[in-house]
Amino acid sequence: MRARICGTGSCLPGLRITNDDLGNILDTSDEWIRSRTGIGARHLAVDETTTSMSVEAARLALDEAGVRPEELDLIIAATLSADHVLPPLSCEVQRELGAVHAAACDLGAACSGFIFALNTADAYIRSGMYRKILLVGAETLSKLMDWTDRSTCVLFGDGAGAAVVCADEEGVLASVQGADGSKGMVLSCGGRPLRHPYVSENTDTGISSYVQMNGQEVYKFAVRTVPASIMQVLDQAGLRPEDISLFLLHQANRRIIEAVAKRLRQPLEKFPVCLEECGNISAASVPILTDRVNREGRLHKGDKIVLAGFGAGLTWGATVLVW
Ligand code: ACO
């Protein structure tokens, strides 16, 4: 048995902020943001929380899958912006859904998080340990932005996506994952320093508690690693890029997506985007995009699709599956 996606859902917060709106509070413009990234707008949480968006996305996914919350064996939430340090997002989702028989845990692999969650679910299902798993990718990245730093805050948004995966004969064909911690500081966001009574010195690492990014290094990493990881996963499955109907990539930047399409020699139409409307939502990007193309009727039973993520860590992952 392997993991098959049998339902998807997504949720964006109500407040929609265009590039022109940002131009009113920052020294930036629609032309600059759109031409370099492809982003036109992003949605920001006001009354919504990472938990509330996750629960809404999860209910839609459960509904499509025809799975009741009590039937779930496990909930994995991929996030870097849960509402609290404790309890974990996955446990809050479990409580809100009434998924009383599900174990729950969070998974932190930044923008690759949803791919890691899917691959983890597939491994659990192949092992025979679980049969029905809810995956959530959810972020409130607006909390982690320095809203005076135009080089980062214009890129990101808030939202959640979810997928229910069930044990099936068909589903995930192959997956690859990787990490390179030696380049971790190209995309950072600091934590809290030690403050207990036995620490005499200031242990502040000096890493900003807001997201900091070396955009050009991230760009070079992405255009090198994403096509390579996709070719690797296709090789494992005995497939070629031509066999794939859609490539659902992490939504960081349109230029990265175009570069990947070019390297794989595949038409851009096979690479749907939602970043124009949503910006980069880290772990939520891939499940939101998957839900959108699913609800647009662009995914058909038996289609072979690739999901790929890349981001902070540095981390990356790619999965090829039968829809
Ligand atoms: N509006 C106007 N000007 C800006 C803005 C802005 N929002 N942000 C930066 N600038 C200015 C800079 O200050 C700089 O000005 P200067 O030349 O006077 O110093 C100039 O624009 C160029 O800045 P760069 O950082 O060199 O811009 P670059 O062309 O590299 O584009 C970008 C930045 C879009 C981030 C690019 O590096 C990129 O696409 N990187 C990929 C990284 C990425 O997409 N990360 C997303 C998060 S990571 C992830 O999800 C995996």
Side-chain angles (χ1 to χ4, degrees):
M1 287 291 176
R2 44 189 80 198
R4 181 173 209 154
I5 296 179
C6 45
T8 63
S10 61
C11 171
L12 292 178
L15 178 67
R16 180 176 185 272
I17 298 294
T18 64
N19 294 342
D20 285 331
D21 292 330
L22 290 183
N24 292 329
I25 60 163
L26 290 164
D27 182 13
T28 190
S29 65
D30 181 58
E31 195 281 321
W32 194 98
I33 301 170
R34 206 177 275 277
S35 63
R36 282 173 177 77
T37 68
I39 296 167
R42 70 288 296 141
H43 291 242
L44 303 181
V46 178
D47 298 321
E48 301 86 352
T49 63
T50 311
T51 303
S52 72
M53 294 186 289
S54 301
V55 169
E56 190 170 330
R59 287 200 171 114
L60 291 166
L62 287 163
D63 201 37
E64 192 196 2
V67 170
R68 285 177 289 114
E70 313 85 87
E71 293 178 73
L72 289 171
D73 300 313
L74 177 67
I75 298 171
I76 307 176
T79 187
L80 58 91
S81 52
D83 296 320
H84 317 289
V85 174
L86 300 170
L89 172 62
S90 53
C91 294
E92 300 211 86
V93 172
Q94 190 241 25
R95 179 195 65 223
E96 291 298 309
L97 292 176
V100 287
H101 301 300
C105 64
D106 285 10
L107 187 154
C111 306
S112 315
F114 187 80
I115 306 296
F116 277 61
L118 174 60
N119 294 342
T120 303
D122 184 51
Y124 273 124
I125 286 174
R126 283 175 196 252
S127 78
M129 188 165 170
Y130 295 128
R131 295 185 61 83
K132 292 190 169 81
I133 302 177
L134 170 67
L135 307 177
V136 171
E139 307 286 6
T140 309
L141 296 176
S142 54
K143 288 186 297 197
L144 303 180
M145 294 301 134
D146 173 355
W147 284 92
T148 64
D149 176 8
R150 65 180 182 173
S151 71
T152 51
C153 71
V154 304
L155 303 173
F156 297 92
D158 301 334
V164 173
V165 298
C166 300
D168 199 300
E169 303 285 340
E170 294 261 44
V172 171
L173 297 173
S175 52
V176 297
Q177 297 178 163
D180 180 3
S182 71
K183 306 237 172 59
M185 293 316 289
V186 304
L187 194 42
S188 66
C189 182
R192 287 190 285 188
L194 278 175
R195 287 198 206 286
H196 65 70
Y198 307 100
V199 173
S200 50
E201 288 173 16
N202 179 1
T203 60
D204 195 333
T205 56
I207 301 172
S208 167
S209 54
Y210 296 110
V211 169
Q212 305 276 296
M213 180 179 69
N214 180 334
Q216 286 169 13
E217 285 302 316
V218 175
Y219 185 88
K220 282 190 261 174
F221 151 71
V223 298
R224 191 177 56 244
T225 310
V226 180
S229 61
I230 292 176
M231 286 313 297
Q232 197 185 345
V233 83
L234 290 177
D235 270 358
Q236 276 186 24
L239 296 170
R240 295 161 305 144
E242 297 73 43
D243 300 321
I244 302 303
S245 51
L246 289 180
F247 295 85
L248 304 178
L249 305 192
H250 170 51
Q251 301 286 293
N253 185 307
R254 187 185 285 276
R255 290 188 307 166
I256 293 175
I257 294 168
E258 287 168 356
V260 174
K262 200 168 164 196
R263 293 227 180 156
L264 295 176
R265 298 176 205 273
Q266 292 299 296
L268 207 45
E269 296 71 53
K270 283 191 178 186
F271 294 75
V273 290
C274 63
L275 58 74
E276 207 275 336
E277 178 58 28
C278 308
N280 178 347
I281 322 182
S282 193
S285 282
V286 171
I288 289 174
L289 179 66
T290 307
D291 181 52
R292 288 191 159 211
V293 294
N294 182 25
R295 284 171 198 276
E296 285 163 9
R298 295 178 68 185
L299 293 168
H300 309 102
K301 201 163 192 288
D303 282 356
K304 295 185 182 70
I305 64 166
V306 165
L307 273 51
F310 54 94
L314 298 168
T315 56
W316 60 91
T319 304
V320 57
L321 54 83
V322 176
W323 190 255

